[in-house]
Amino acid sequence: LYGVLQMQVPFPFSLLCLQVIKCKAAVMWEANKPFSIEEVEVAPPKANEVRIKIVATGICRSDDHVITGGLVMPFPIILGHEAAGIVESIGQGVTTFKPGDKVIPLFVPQCGECNNCLSTKGNLCSKNDFGSRAGLMPDGTSRFTCKGKAIHHFLGTSTFTEYTVAHESSVAKIDSAAPLEKVCLIGCGFSTGYGAAVQTAKVEPGSTCVIFGVGGVGLSVVMGCKAAGASRIIAVDINSDKFAKAKELGATDCVNPKDFKKPIHEVLIEMTGHGADYSFEVIGRTETMVAALACCQYNYGVSVVVGVPPAAQQITFDPMLLFSGRTWKGSVFGGWKSKDSVPKLVADYMNKKFVLDPLITHTLPFTKINEGFDLLRTGK
């Protein structure tokens, strides 16, 4: 689930808005070490960029993957990619934002010009930083400096800082009345899980769904399956403490693989009679990705990979699992076109079409970010 870090940052006067801002940031100097709260310098936004005061940021497992080496990025780096804030200043040429606007940074940009943005089938803008993992702004430089050293960005967002800079294609303007400490989850976890069900898989009414992993993103998949009208929603997790929340949000059955001696996909096929219509892997482990594929209906089942795959690992599986007709799909940010969809999702939240409060287990001050990650790693 999510711990939300709240920022308490003075808003600078407009006369200072194009100067360097000094503020606190959680810098990750090297892998497998705690965050270090440092004073950093945040440069003014360049052309087509926006400088944002971060009000609240969620702690996501993907950030932890960088710390542990599961997702390879350059160090030192300011992590964080799930947040909400207020525009502090804008660079030359920015016309769609103004200081004071409430916004959500987007780790999947939407440039509106590349093949993926122009296609109705895709949402992974080619200007994302997943492929190159350069940890820099689009012009190849950084806006962060600490102790005289340039600090890398993370996925074009870097939200573990009181102020950040993002390209305008990586920012969405949202309802001015939206509670930032709640809708920050729409910046990643909720949108990723909910969209995997309603956008990527396109779950149908009356269907059977299995979700491997019911942390914050997995619970959002549960919510998406319920909203789509699934009649049976099976939550799978090795931590049974998560099952009460899963049932509260729509799960009809909960299964702990530790309670069985046989492979979990066999258990699920027996439970459903023919396998799931849709399955979702929301953990990021190769063995559960294969299990999720194997548990869905052999001819027309659809399995969606939602969890970030570990670096430098390969999957070995029986190709007959696919030959018989199953579909294996990936889903980044729930398949949503980010700039178009995030404001609509915020509007849906404001209109009470879904809830976010059950996904938030802790609210911590920014300086306790290491405690927040300890809670994440212990499943709390």
Side-chain angles (χ1 to χ4, degrees), residues 27-205:
V27 177
M28 180 60 53
W29 291 103
E30 56 184 303
N32 296 302
K33 293 291 178 67
F35 288 94
S36 179
I37 302 296
E38 306 276 8
E39 181 180 81
V40 300
E41 295 179 341
V42 184
K46 293 186 179 181
N48 304 116
E49 294 177 357
V50 179
R51 189 160 58 183
I52 304 166
K53 174 187 129 176
I54 299 296
V55 173
T57 181
I59 290 176
C60 179
R61 179 70 70 177
S62 299
D63 301 306
D64 196 44
H65 287 334
V66 178
I67 298 168
T68 60
L71 179 59
V72 178
M73 294 293 294
F75 291 93
I77 191 169
I78 294 175
L79 296 173
H81 63 285
E82 178 182 76
I86 300 169
V87 173
E88 176 270 335
S89 59
I90 58 175
Q92 184 178 359
V94 175
T95 59
T96 54
F97 301 98
K98 65 182 185 302
D101 285 345
K102 284 188 175 182
V103 295
I104 288 179
L106 308 169
F107 73 93
V108 173
Q110 186 181 346
C111 72
E113 300 171 352
C114 71
N115 288 344
N116 290 349
C117 284
L118 294 173
S119 171
T120 59
K121 300 177 182 178
N123 76 314
L124 186 55
C125 175
S126 64
K127 295 185 180 178
N128 71 81
D129 195 30
F130 282 102
S132 67
R133 300 183 185 177
L136 298 169
M137 294 294 285
D139 69 350
T141 63
S142 172
R143 301 293 169 270
F144 299 119
T145 307
C146 182
K147 299 178 179 178
K149 184 166 185 166
I151 307 297
H152 289 92
H153 292 248
F154 181 52
L155 301 181
T157 51
S158 287
T159 62
F160 291 166
T161 170
E162 292 173 332
Y163 287 88
T164 193
V165 177
H167 192 273
E168 64 177 336
S169 65
S170 295
V171 184
K173 182 179 176 181
I174 62 170
D175 187 338
S176 61
L180 300 184
E181 74 281 4
K182 305 289 176 62
V183 298
C184 61
L185 302 187
I186 292 175
C188 178
F190 173 79
S191 303
T192 296
Y194 191 82
V198 303
Q199 280 277 116
T200 305
K202 293 181 169 55
V203 169
E204 297 168 314

Side-chain angles (χ1 to χ4, degrees), residues 70 98 142 154 253 280 287 314 335 345 351 377-378 380:
K98 65 182 185 302
S142 172
F154 181 52
D253 305 82
F280 302 85
E287 55 266 42
Q314 305 294 315
L345 287 167
N351 289 325
R377 291 163 187 148
T378 55
K380 298 178 182 177

